[in-house]
Amino acid sequence: MSLSHETIVIVGTGFAGLGMAIRLKKSGIENFVLLEKADEVGGTWRDNHYPGAACDVPSPVYSFSFEPNPNWTRVFSPQAEILEYLKHCADKYQIRSHIRFHSLVQSASFDEKSGLWTVHIEGQPALMCRFLILGTGGLSRPAYPDIPGLKDYQGPLFHTAAWRHDVPLRGKRVGVIGTGASAIQVIPELVHEVQELKVFQRTPAWVLPKADGVLPKRSQAGNWFLRKALYWRFEMRALALLKPKLMRFGQKMAMEYLEEQVKDPVLRKKLTPRYIMGCKRVLLSNDFYQAMSLPQTRLITDGIERIKPGGIKTRDGVEHELDVVICATGFQVAEATAPFRIVGRSGQVLSEVWKDGAQAYLGTTVTGFPNLFIIVGPNSGLGHNSIVFIIESQVQYIMDALRQALRSRWSSVEVRPDVQVAFNDKIQKLLAPTVWSREHCRSWYQTPSGKNTTIWPGFSFTFRLKTLQFDAAAYDCRVSETVGETVQPQLNPLHSR
Ligand code: NAP
């Protein structure tokens, strides 16, 4: 079977975009293009190169199932190795010839009559395609804190996801805002270099030790068993997220770890979390608490009042003079889900449809937006296991949709509104008894009104089971006898490259 008379556009070249492209290629489909805003593949693993950046999911599971990597040096790989792995995948599966680098998508709109998407790219002619697949990820837009005076600061100020390697930190007075997953990785790296490190914490996080270590080559080369064992070990963590009562065991472990690591009772109190574990991502680190206990480190919990030209003023009136300010303040997740203006059938705009919270069917398709597939869309994120598992599930589902569309000569497929509504009602019901819905639980998984639009409320294998096959009955599929002909003229510019 071939889809050669169709055109597919994929946006992004991280795990999602590359995973989709490789699957198309493996199925003998060549007429697809990937649009990438940067000059290299890798997505979040290309952009997050701050000191200490590493994955908090073991690499044997945080990699494609079809491409085991015998070269991981550690259980939890550093960023550079993951980026190398993604470059290797792009090369090995000959994806690079399909990629247009420096291609920032500005908007996309769907034409109901032809069943085609028009994709507008900055500084380039528009592109038409039948299927548009977003692999743009949720963690691609750095969020700078909304603190008065941010622009007044006169020294270097940058985000962990846009690290300035040109700014020397040795011997400087450095401020880090935030104590999330990025901060706890970067702080232990900086602490030995700087003269003084001030960490501005708003909410203390739950931290557990990281079972990291060297990964011997022989234990992993093509090791199916290692992957499965790690997958199931991490999958079990979902139990406590879904049944909050079980979380007390994790909390006890974390409190014991905190007590063992931090001897100063005042500091320990400041670092003690005040919400149920799992509400925000559980952090794994063997050196964060040690770094916080060093004499050159100070944990500031008084709340930031404003940023001044020479440092940060806290609510207790103290002005902390700083040579460099680093924002480890996370990502604009809601905006990233609809990363550019997407205009669907009848002119509806995705970001407006989603203004009270994103929703989709199986985190992948959206009513009113035919032939659009989103990888890691609403409520498909995980708090407990490898997101690559979810990505591969969605890729399988999309692949099956494309196959069926070709076979049946559908010009468009659009998820039925009743199906999407019922699916999301169920998602919210399943979320209700979980840790993410507990009182006082606030995280970037939620909208400002508190609705969780990010997390898949279950085991990842249940997501896999639901996405094994494209369930055409859930969709409005329109047939056109001229599918091939309508799209064919648009193929030429792509193939002349
Ligand atoms: P994050 O988890 O959203 O943490 C942001 C931190 O900045 C939080 O401590 C937050 O405090 C603080 N913050 C935000 N705005 C602030 C403000 N105006 N004033 C003071 N503090 C402020 O961001 P992240 O650490 O970059 O991690 C984001 C996600 O990226 C993670 O959840 C994870 O999925 C992923 N990540 C993964 C890895 C990995 O190892 N695989 C590593 C890094 C990141 P509050 O808690 O009070 O909001």
Side-chain angles (χ1 to χ4, degrees), residues 45 50 54-57 139 145-147 159-160 177-183 185 200-203 280-281 304 328-331 444-445:
W45 295 104
Y50 56 82
C55 192
D56 58 8
V57 177
L139 306 174
D146 186 15
I147 299 173
H159 195 280
T160 42
I177 306 176
T179 47
S182 301
Q185 292 184 339
F200 295 83
Q201 172 185 273
R202 191 164 64 182
T203 314
K280 295 173 194 264
R281 193 174 179 87
I304 299 174
T329 42
F331 298 87
W444 62 261
Y445 300 145

Side-chain angles (χ1 to χ4, degrees), residues 380-456:
S380 63
L382 293 182
H384 71 284
N385 211 335
S386 172
I387 196 64
V388 182
F389 186 85
I390 295 290
I391 289 173
E392 285 196 42
S393 307
Q394 290 181 293
V395 164
Q396 157 66 24
Y397 184 78
I398 297 167
M399 200 60 231
D400 199 37
L402 298 179
R403 279 201 201 97
Q404 291 194 39
L406 175 73
R407 195 185 303 137
S408 311
R409 296 187 75 81
W410 294 330
S411 61
S412 70
V413 290
E414 178 183 346
V415 64
R416 286 178 12 220
D418 57 315
V419 171
Q420 184 176 304
V421 167
F423 177 80
N424 280 279
D425 285 351
K426 179 98 186 283
I427 289 272
Q428 293 305 321
K429 266 198 198 107
L430 289 172
L431 277 165
T434 67
V435 288
W436 301 291
S437 307
R438 293 303 280 263
E439 220 186 337
H440 309 304
C441 172
R442 294 293 308 150
S443 75
W444 62 261
Y445 300 145
Q446 298 156 316
T447 62
S449 68
K451 185 176 172 194
N452 188 326
T453 56
T454 309
I455 288 285
W456 171 250

Side-chain angles (χ1 to χ4, degrees), residues 252-265:
K252 188 165 174 284
M253 264 169 64
M255 284 310 297
E256 281 168 7
Y257 181 52
L258 175 63
E259 272 160 39
E260 175 210 302
Q261 295 276 310
V262 180
K263 302 295 174 208
D264 173 0

